Amino acid sequence: MRTKKMTRVSFSDNPPVINIKMPTKWTELSDEELRLVFRILDHYSGRKENIAFHLFRMLTKMHVERQYEGRYQCCFPLGKKKIRCWISPEDLADQLECLSFLEEPGAAPVRLNRIGFGLKKSYQGVHPQLHNVSFMDYVRLENLYQGFLKTKDMRDILKIASILYPGFRPETDHIHAYEGLSIIQWLIQVKGMFAKAFPHFFKPSADGSGPAPSMVEVMNNEIRALTNGDVSKEAEIFDVDCWRCLTELDYKAREAEEFNRLKNKS
């Protein structure tokens, strides 16, 4: 669970020290800060910018007043006070080092609480880890995500938004570009989490070669594994929590691995 909004800059008088506490991972960002991160990522997309510096500047509300002999006089507003200090490029680099997590997807899924922020209507997201999301919706998410990777069609992202943010209507509702970016990031994090939680089912092929199976084939195989070929159970399976279905699929994949291991050994 992400942290609540916190004070990133504080000051102590004796001795005079400016204390700066930056987040070190995605889950340490408040919802407001996470929204800020995706605004920055969207704004500077495709440009050679130091994203970490811009986030540091926005979180601390720092602004540079002047430069002298390679150092910068910076001002940090703290309530009604303004605290000033001189910062060298080396000092700044040390402060930015902890923000290197921005270059990686993150080990745990995080998402914006709501999309449509500031528009006519906003929508609350499902659980970040997709708990209580049906297996049918999980299959739809996977199909849409794979389709987006091939075509980069943002209409797929709007359809994904309708699943992850119930009530959102892709035909009539709108989201900001940075919110679409946050949805892509969320799905990448979810896929990484599932790969660790269900290592047998999401185990990559031994050599990574050969054409990838179609999503229809993958879906049919998953459904067949869960229903044991009984088509009368398909509707029931689709309504089950995706975590429960993936747990069962992982167990069946582990059984198959063990069976093949014993068969090859004998």
Side-chain angles (χ1 to χ4, degrees), residues 7-264:
T7 302
R8 294 294 181 187
V9 182
S10 60
F11 178 75
S12 56
D13 290 310
N14 190 20
V17 175
I18 297 178
N19 302 299
I20 299 176
K21 184 174 179 56
M22 286 288 99
T24 61
K25 51 188 176 181
W26 287 96
T27 51
E28 291 181 0
L29 293 165
S30 68
D31 185 68
E32 181 181 342
E33 291 171 342
L34 187 64
R35 192 173 295 276
L36 176 62
V37 167
F38 285 115
R39 285 182 185 273
I40 292 173
L41 290 173
D42 177 60
H43 181 73
Y44 293 107
S45 175
R47 296 159 60 178
K48 294 182 179 180
E49 295 284 345
N50 189 329
I51 300 299
F53 169 74
H54 289 293
L55 179 59
F56 177 86
R57 179 174 57 84
M58 297 292 284
L59 292 182
T60 62
K61 298 180 173 59
M62 177 195 79
H63 64 272
V64 178
E65 294 185 328
R66 62 191 178 113
Q67 178 185 0
Y68 180 72
E69 294 185 348
R71 295 194 305 159
Y72 299 88
Q73 185 182 52
C74 300
C75 177
F76 297 89
L78 295 177
K80 296 181 179 180
K81 296 181 180 181
K82 290 185 178 181
I83 307 300
R84 292 175 172 83
C85 68
W86 287 92
I87 299 179
S88 69
E90 293 75 20
D91 292 334
L92 181 59
D94 289 341
Q95 292 291 335
L96 298 182
E97 187 174 354
C98 66
L99 296 177
S100 61
F101 73 88
L102 295 172
E103 301 172 5
E104 301 294 335
V110 295
R111 54 97 170 100
L112 298 177
N113 287 339
R114 307 187 74 87
I115 60 169
F117 190 78
L119 300 177
K120 290 183 178 180
K121 192 172 183 180
S122 64
Y123 300 90
Q124 175 70 41
V126 300
H127 192 282
Q129 297 181 356
L130 303 194
H131 290 294
N132 300 318
V133 171
S134 71
F135 183 64
M136 169 62 85
D137 281 343
Y138 165 76
V139 171
R140 290 174 58 207
L141 284 172
E142 184 65 26
N143 286 334
L144 289 168
Y145 179 72
Q146 295 300 329
F148 172 76
L149 292 181
K150 292 180 180 179
T151 66
K152 296 299 186 290
D153 190 339
M154 287 305 298
R155 287 176 295 185
D156 287 332
I157 298 300
L158 295 179
K159 293 175 183 177
I160 289 172
S162 70
I163 300 172
L164 296 178
Y165 292 88
F168 179 85
R169 296 167 297 177
E171 301 84 5
T172 57
D173 290 327
H174 303 280
I175 60 175
H176 299 284
Y178 76 86
E179 292 175 327
L181 181 62
S182 75
I183 289 173
I184 297 171
Q185 172 87 342
W186 182 7
L187 287 180
I188 293 173
Q189 293 170 338
V190 165
K191 290 178 73 65
M193 175 193 65
F194 279 160
K196 292 180 180 179
F198 309 111
H200 302 282
F201 179 63
F202 289 105
K203 185 176 182 179
S205 60
D207 56 5
S209 62
S214 70
M215 287 309 301
V216 173
E217 180 183 351
V218 171
M219 182 182 69
N220 286 334
N221 288 337
E222 291 173 354
I223 295 171
R224 188 174 296 111
L226 290 170
T227 62
N228 291 320
D230 187 347
V231 296
S232 66
K233 295 181 179 179
E234 288 186 6
E236 180 182 348
I237 289 297
F238 283 140
D239 287 335
V240 175
D241 187 302
C242 66
W243 274 83
R244 182 67 191 90
C245 289
L246 291 174
T247 299
E248 183 64 22
L249 288 169
D250 191 66
Y251 179 77
K252 287 180 177 294
R254 186 178 65 180
E255 281 188 324
E257 289 176 11
E258 181 65 14
F259 174 78
N260 289 331
R261 186 184 67 81
L262 294 174
K263 182 177 69 174
N264 293 333

